[in-house]
Amino acid sequence: MRDIFSDLYNKVLSFFVSQGPHDETKAVAMSRLKTVLMQDRVGFSERAMQMLKEELVATISKYMEIDEEKFDLEINATEDSTVLDLAIPVTRAKTDEEIDEAIKEQAIKTQAKAQEIVEELEELIKERAAALAGVGEEAHQEEAEENSKESSCEDTQDNSEENTQEKKEEEKGKKSKVKEN
C-alpha cells in the first residue's frame, strides 16, 4: 500500500517538476542568455561571434574533421579578463596530403574571391570615370556655351564699338563737310 501512495505522490509531483525536453530547452535558453549577457558585457556583437565561429571552423577544418553542429564558442568575462572558450568535437585528424589539398582549395577560393573583388572594383572605377567624364563633358559644354555667349557678347560689344567708331567717323565727315560749305 505504501508503494501505491509513493507512486501516486511521485506522479503528482512530476506534474510540477519539469523533466525531459523542457529541461533541455531551458538549459539552451539559459546558455543563450548567458552568452548574450557576456557579449554585451565584453562588447562583442552576435554578428562578430558568428563571423569568428565561421572563420575558426574553416581554419580548423583544414587540419581536422570536426562536428560543426556541436562546435561551441563562448566568451566569458571576469572582473580582470575575458576568456574565449571553445568546444570543438574532432572526428579525426587529416593526413598531410588532405591538409595540403585543403590549403590549395582555400588558396584557389581566396584567389577567385580576390579576382571577383578586382573585377567589381574595375567596374566601379569605369562607372565613376564615365560619370566624371560625363560631368566633365557637361562642364566643358557649359564652359563652351559660356565662352560662346561671352564671345557673342564681345562680338556684339566689338560690333557696337565698331558701329560707334563708324558713326563717330561719319559725324566727323559730316561736320567737316558742313564746315566746308
Side-chain angles (χ1 to χ4, degrees):
M1 188 78 152
R2 186 173 189 175
D3 291 334
I4 293 174
F5 285 118
S6 178
D7 288 340
L8 182 61
Y9 173 77
N10 288 335
K11 284 185 181 183
V12 171
L13 187 61
S14 70
F15 287 118
F16 299 105
V17 177
S18 63
Q19 295 177 356
H22 296 298
D23 284 343
E24 187 177 321
T25 305
K26 180 180 175 182
V28 168
M30 290 296 290
S31 174
R32 287 182 181 165
L33 181 59
K34 285 180 184 177
T35 301
V36 168
L37 291 173
M38 285 299 169
Q39 290 169 352
D40 202 35
R41 183 196 271 176
V42 173
F44 210 63
S45 71
E46 182 67 29
R47 180 176 172 261
M49 284 283 285
Q50 188 62 34
M51 291 172 59
L52 177 62
K53 182 178 178 180
E54 289 171 5
E55 287 185 35
L56 287 170
V57 165
T59 301
I60 294 167
S61 293
K62 284 189 238 176
Y63 304 97
M64 299 174 209
E65 284 185 12
I66 62 173
D67 185 355
E68 291 181 33
E69 291 185 19
K70 293 182 180 176
F71 184 98
D72 189 30
L73 170 71
E74 288 184 18
I75 293 180
N76 297 313
T78 61
E79 290 180 12
D80 57 338
S81 67
T82 303
V83 178
L84 177 65
D85 290 326
L86 294 172
I88 307 169
V90 177
T91 307
R92 73 173 185 87
K94 291 186 176 181
T95 64
D96 289 343
E97 292 81 24
E98 290 173 317
I99 293 170
D100 291 340
E101 185 63 31
I103 291 171
K104 286 178 186 176
E105 287 176 17
Q106 184 65 34
I108 291 169
K109 286 179 185 177
T110 302
Q111 188 176 14
K113 184 67 175 176
Q115 183 62 35
E116 185 179 311
I117 291 170
V118 166
E119 289 171 0
E120 288 176 13
L121 288 173
E122 287 175 344
E123 186 63 32
L124 287 171
I125 289 168
K126 287 177 184 176
E127 289 173 7
R128 185 70 173 169
L132 290 173
V135 169
E137 287 177 13
E138 289 174 11
H140 183 58
Q141 287 176 349
E142 289 175 9
E143 187 177 311
E145 289 174 8
E146 286 179 19
N147 289 341
S148 172
K149 287 178 185 176
E150 289 175 6
S151 177
S152 67
C153 289
E154 288 174 4
D155 289 345
T156 305
Q157 284 180 341
D158 289 344
N159 288 340
S160 297
E161 289 175 6
E162 288 175 8
N163 289 339
T164 306
Q165 289 290 347
E166 289 174 3
K167 287 180 183 179
K168 287 180 182 178
E169 288 176 10
E170 284 178 15
E171 287 178 17
K172 285 182 185 178
K174 286 180 183 177
K175 287 181 183 178
S176 63
K177 285 183 184 179
V178 170
K179 285 182 182 177
E180 290 174 4
N181 287 336

